Amino acid sequence: MSGGGTEEFVVDAATARRADRAAVVLLGLAGVYGLLSAGVALGLWSVHVGRLADLTLGNLVEIGVLAAMVWRARHCHGISPFWTFMAVGVGAYCASEIAFDVAEAVLGRGVRGLTGLELGYVVGYGTFLVAGIRLVWVGARRWRVGYVAEALGILLLSAALAQEFLVRPAVDVSGMPAAAVTTWVMLVVLDALLFLAALVAAVRSRGRWWLLAAGFGLLTLGDTTFTVVSLTGRYTPGGGVDGLAAAGLALLGVGALRIRTEAGGRHRSRLSIVVTPAVVLPLSFALLAVDHVERLDTSAVWLTALAATAAIVRLVLSQQELLELATLRREAHTDDLTGVANRRALLADLERRCAADAPFALAIVDLDRFKEVNDGLGHAAGDELLRQVVLQLLQAAPDPVLVARLGGDELALVLPGSGGPGVEAAGEALAQATAVHTAMVRSYDLLGHRVHVAASLGVATFPGDAQRPSDLLRCADIAMYEAKTLGGTVCAFGADAARDASRGALTLMTQLRTALGLTDDAPAAPADCGRLTVLFQPQLDVLSGAVCGAEALVRWDHPDLGMLTPARFLEEAERHGLMGHLTHRVLDDALAAAATWAVELPGRSLRLAVNLSATNLLDVDLPTRVAELLARHGLPPTALVLEITETVLMSRSPRTRSVLEGLRALGVGLSIDDFGTGYSSLAYLKELPVEEVKLDRSFVADIVADPRSAAIVASTIWLGHQLGVRIVGEGVESEHTLGVLRRLDCDTTQGFLHSPPLPAAEFWDWCAVHLAGLEPAP
């Protein structure tokens, strides 16, 4: 559970029952105290009854609320600081409350003026404000100047308005010292701000956060009543005015006992960056303009000027943050070595072109014997060769053209189409690719050496060969490998390549269907088609090193092809309508293993991550089937995290959104896998109910050697934390990479540095031998 994600606060059933009983007792005490206070205020009972109620029931409610806050803070220690701040604030507040009750009982009258007993209120409300900031800017792991300026702008402007329009008139009417009036009025203002902060948390979070909003609302109403009664000289100890405040405190305590989620921050709009300056600045300038016409209170003027300054600081920093994010976004789509587009940019461009439904061609280029250049002349020569080849491609290809580096020595070109019939379009694409191939296959000067370079080039067309970016890449890859087998030439994805690939894929999918047990009259037994197995790769908490989760990864032990990874069969399984059955099998096997672990070592927490595909997200019955599997294996929904690749989410289908909402309502976690490979990453974090982001391994692999990759990863982690999501770095293969992720405040890591994917029994043994078990349940 991260410090602000919408995650479950998990306790065992016995502890939950005790917390519920404590909440009932606390509400009962507050109810009785409220009835007595109301009776005294209405004249049904004497003031002596009210004083006795204040000293006994009132203080019992306050002590009970403090105990509830301390209990919640202890259970969330190191996870969510909000409840720790609340516990400290309630403790200081209750200290002043009890001190005033005792003083009034001794004196037999109300305490007049400032006595020092108000110190607890000052400390308490100061801590409450810190908690409120954590509630609004949920997930912030470090105090940033922008947040402080934003909070100060609101606080100072509120204080200025209160000083001018509430404190000064109240002093004139009551005749009381200005310091005392200011103290009580400002406490009411702080109550109102805390109520608004709790209201924001309640609106954007699931669960019972309305309890906190109602608690601060009643506290505001109670303190307002007390202030009005005191300023009009009608306050009498035991007069029944403390009942509302006690009821508000009781609701805060019940919230600590009953709220089972952490405050969510995923719906915070990017507009919030400029909302505060847009509100605070005009109001501040308006107040300062009024001061020129009618002199305002000096303290109000100073508070207004400080509020305007804070808002201006926030506005300037907001612009810097937006520009910085935009720059990092551009860099994320550029290849550092060659300056052309990278894989992410290519995928985004293919998505746009496919959506526009205009014909075009994709060519994939692979340099032959590139490894020999690297090994013989060094990596500097290899890098120079790539730069020169890219320059040659840009000069030779027809405009407009997009050149991208996919990785290593593999390049891609997106060529414009003519819009003619399929055969004509394919012929034009092949002619363009051949001209490019002829221009690039030549000798290059590399650091004093002249090297001749050959290349293999495969071409596929849209919409003739494929209609989706992934299919188009696959077709161009098939054609490129066909060109490589022909000795380094140009090959279009045509009848021969497609027929061979389709025949092999059809055979493989027939065997997969049999391995899944879906054929009643299969020509071969399931054993003859291999066995599907689920492996588990550990996920470790970066700070503690404890195992906090595992990703379930399917493998196919094929009798002829050996152990097949998902890359060998998942795409075809989706095309042949088998992904629903395959996902169900993986979920069932993975949850069965997790249930066994839960029985062998109770009281330990382990998140199980399972991947979903595009087809799964169109299945409206998926949430129901997931619920049935969880119930069958006796696991809570919080034990499961479902991973969806970012590219799958690009369609923004209402049906997909409905399935995701159903899964989130069920209580399972949602994670965006391979984050950064799509086109609208930031929008997904804002719009979708996700709690986790997995950094794409292409980013993680380069963070040690590439400062720009490290900057992109750092920015992504920061942004994720602001939105209240957990960050997982996958593909960690070295201690250096782990160290960088730890410094960047990444939450969880996964990779071969820790362990390769393991069978269920070996995974459990690995946990026991290497890390002495799993992370304790919260």
Side-chain angles (χ1 to χ4, degrees):
M1 183 168 59
S2 63
T6 53
E7 301 179 22
E8 296 294 326
F9 169 66
V10 181
V11 292
D12 59 76
T15 302
R17 286 194 296 270
R18 288 195 296 270
D20 291 342
R21 286 196 295 268
V24 171
V25 171
L26 191 56
L27 283 177
L29 285 173
V32 173
Y33 179 53
L35 288 175
L36 288 174
S37 298
V40 172
L42 294 173
L44 301 178
W45 292 289
S46 69
V47 173
H48 297 292
V49 173
R51 290 179 180 176
L52 183 60
D54 288 346
L55 281 172
T56 55
L57 292 175
N59 289 334
L60 280 176
V61 170
E62 291 160 2
I63 293 172
V65 172
L66 177 59
M69 291 293 175
V70 170
W71 174 82
R72 183 59 182 264
R74 289 184 60 189
H75 279 75
C76 294
H77 179 67
I79 300 173
S80 175
F82 169 77
W83 294 105
T84 301
F85 291 129
M86 286 295 296
V88 174
V90 168
Y93 181 94
C94 291
S96 276
E97 282 285 304
I98 295 172
F100 269 102
D101 288 341
V102 173
E104 289 171 350
V106 172
L107 295 174
R109 58 176 175 78
V111 178
R112 297 186 179 92
L114 295 178
T115 62
L117 297 179
E118 299 84 3
L119 180 61
Y121 293 133
V122 175
V123 174
Y125 275 94
T127 314
F128 283 155
L129 280 176
V130 176
I133 293 172
R134 296 291 302 194
L135 207 56
V136 175
W137 290 277
V138 62
R141 296 197 169 193
R142 58 188 184 274
W143 294 106
R144 295 177 63 88
V145 176
Y147 299 150
V148 176
E150 193 166 349
L152 281 177
I154 297 172
L155 180 61
L156 292 169
L157 180 62
S158 301
L161 292 170
Q163 183 67 30
E164 179 61 29
F165 299 108
L166 296 178
V167 173
R168 193 159 72 168
V171 171
D172 295 338
V173 171
S174 68
M176 294 180 63
V181 175
T182 300
T183 300
W184 295 115
V185 170
M186 289 306 172
L187 289 183
V188 174
V189 171
L190 294 177
D191 281 330
L193 291 176
L194 290 170
F195 167 68
L196 291 176
L199 199 61
V200 169
V203 168
R204 69 187 183 191
S205 300
R206 301 176 185 273
R208 303 183 177 98
W209 283 88
W210 290 103
L211 288 169
L212 235 63
F216 278 120
L218 285 177
L219 202 59
T220 304
L221 191 58
D223 285 347
T224 302
T225 303
F226 174 82
T227 300
V228 172
V229 170
S230 297
L231 293 179
T232 55
R234 291 180 292 162
Y235 174 72
T236 301
V241 299
D242 294 332
L244 284 173
L249 281 175
L251 285 179
L252 297 183
V254 172
L257 295 169
R258 296 296 306 276
I259 292 173
R260 296 288 188 260
T261 59
E262 292 304 310
R266 57 183 170 83
H267 293 305
R268 191 182 183 216
S269 168
R270 275 185 270 177
L271 287 175
S272 63
I273 294 178
V274 294
V275 161
T276 300
V279 172
V280 173
L281 276 176
L283 287 176
S284 299
F285 290 149
L287 276 178
L288 294 174
V290 169
D291 181 56
H292 285 282
V293 178
E294 178 182 348
R295 298 300 297 176
L296 302 180
D297 185 84
T298 303
S299 58
V301 173
W302 277 104
L303 288 171
T304 302
L306 291 173
T309 302
I312 291 171
V313 170
R314 180 54 178 145
L315 188 61
V316 171
L317 292 175
S318 299
Q319 301 307 312
Q320 291 178 349
E321 289 175 18
L322 291 173
L323 289 173
E324 189 177 309
L325 286 174
T327 301
L328 289 172
R329 185 67 180 172
R330 286 194 300 272
E331 291 177 350
H333 287 77
T334 303
D335 178 61
D336 292 341
L337 177 63
T338 60
V340 297
N342 59 14
R343 177 182 287 273
R344 286 178 290 278
L346 175 67
L347 288 172
D349 184 78
L350 293 179
E351 286 285 349
R352 287 194 296 269
R353 290 175 185 267
C354 290
D357 204 25
F360 65 93
L362 173 67
I364 292 183
V365 181
D366 185 81
L367 302 183
D368 296 336
R369 294 186 297 277
F370 178 75
K371 186 175 184 298
E372 296 178 11
V373 176
N374 264 339
D375 294 343
L377 302 179
H379 289 284
D383 292 346
E384 179 61 25
L385 175 59
L386 285 172
R387 283 190 286 265
Q388 292 190 31
V389 168
V390 164
L391 182 61
Q392 195 67 29
L393 289 176
L394 289 170
Q395 293 174 349
D399 289 329
V401 63
L402 173 73
V403 177
R405 182 187 176 204
L406 300 179
D409 63 332
E410 195 172 61
L411 305 168
L413 295 89
V414 181
L415 303 167
S418 64
V423 174
E424 180 182 326
E428 180 187 4
L430 185 60
Q432 291 177 345
T434 301
V436 170
H437 183 266
T438 302
M440 65 173 292
V441 175
R442 53 185 288 272
S443 296
Y444 295 87
D445 290 321
L446 303 176
L447 306 179
H449 299 83
R450 192 158 185 83
V451 178
H452 183 78
V453 172
S456 302
L457 195 151
V459 184
T461 60
F462 172 91
D465 294 327
Q467 289 78 47
R468 297 190 309 176
S470 58
D471 293 339
L472 199 62
L473 281 166
R474 183 177 58 84
C475 292
D477 257 333
I478 292 173
M480 187 270 290
Y481 282 110
E482 180 71 14
K484 192 176 283 290
T485 61
L486 296 176
T489 182
V490 181
C491 183
F493 183 81
D496 293 338
R499 185 167 52 248
D500 292 341
S502 298
R503 186 183 298 118
L506 183 61
T507 301
L508 196 65
M509 289 304 101
T510 301
Q511 294 173 326
L512 179 60
R513 184 180 294 275
T514 303
L516 289 169
L518 302 177
T519 51
D520 297 329
D521 54 349
D528 296 330
C529 296
R531 184 173 65 91
L532 293 168
T533 184
V534 177
L535 305 182
F536 299 86
Q537 188 168 35
Q539 295 177 337
L540 275 64
D541 182 82
V542 173
L543 294 180
S544 67
V547 181
C548 58
E551 183 178 7
L553 302 167
V554 66
R555 297 290 186 268
W556 184 4
D557 190 2
H558 194 279
D560 301 319
L561 303 176
M563 188 66 74
L564 300 182
T565 63
R568 291 289 303 276
F569 60 92
L570 283 191
E571 275 195 8
E572 288 299 327
E574 187 147 23
R575 288 167 62 87
H576 285 76
L578 299 178
M579 279 305 299
H581 301 286
L582 182 59
T583 301
H584 190 278
R585 166 72 73 85
V586 173
L587 275 169
D588 197 11
D589 291 353
L591 291 173
T596 302
W597 302 333
V599 171
E600 292 179 353
L601 195 58
R604 297 283 182 164
S605 172
L606 178 67
R607 288 189 301 269
L608 181 65
V610 178
N611 289 279
L612 295 182
S613 72
T615 303
N616 297 140
L617 294 180
L618 295 175
D619 182 4
V620 294
D621 294 325
L622 179 64
T624 302
R625 281 199 288 273
V626 171
E628 291 171 353
L629 287 173
L630 287 167
R632 180 195 306 171
H633 295 292
L635 291 173
T638 52
L640 180 63
V641 176
L642 298 175
E643 297 183 359
I644 307 102
T645 59
E646 188 182 3
T647 51
V648 168
L649 300 173
M650 285 184 183
S651 65
R652 299 180 183 271
S653 162
R655 193 170 178 179
T656 296
R657 183 60 182 261
S658 174
V659 173
L660 289 174
E661 293 288 356
L663 291 171
R664 194 67 186 98
L666 176 63
V668 302
L670 296 178
S671 172
I672 297 183
D673 197 10
D674 300 332
F675 184 78
T677 59
Y679 180 60
S680 301
S681 313
L682 301 178
Y684 294 139
L685 287 182
K686 179 173 70 72
E687 297 172 3
L688 296 177
V690 299
E691 68 175 40
E692 181 184 275
V693 162
K694 295 188 76 173
L695 296 169
D696 183 55
R697 63 181 64 246
S698 65
F699 282 133
V700 174
D702 294 333
I703 59 174
V704 175
D706 184 0
R708 290 210 297 179
S709 292
I712 293 169
V713 169
S715 176
T716 303
I717 292 174
W718 172 84
L719 177 63
H721 287 163
Q722 310 321 303
L723 298 176
V725 299
R726 182 175 56 250
I727 306 296
V728 179
E730 61 178 337
V732 178
E733 298 183 0
S734 71
E735 287 289 348
H736 292 301
T737 302
L738 178 61
V740 174
L741 290 174
R742 183 181 291 113
R743 289 194 300 274
L744 295 179
D745 208 19
C746 183
D747 300 300
T748 307
T749 53
Q750 172 185 345
F752 277 75
L753 173 65
H754 305 312
S755 170
L758 301 170
E762 294 181 24
F763 169 80
W764 190 250
D765 293 340
W766 183 91
C767 290
V769 172
H770 291 269
L771 292 174
L774 304 175
E775 186 175 61

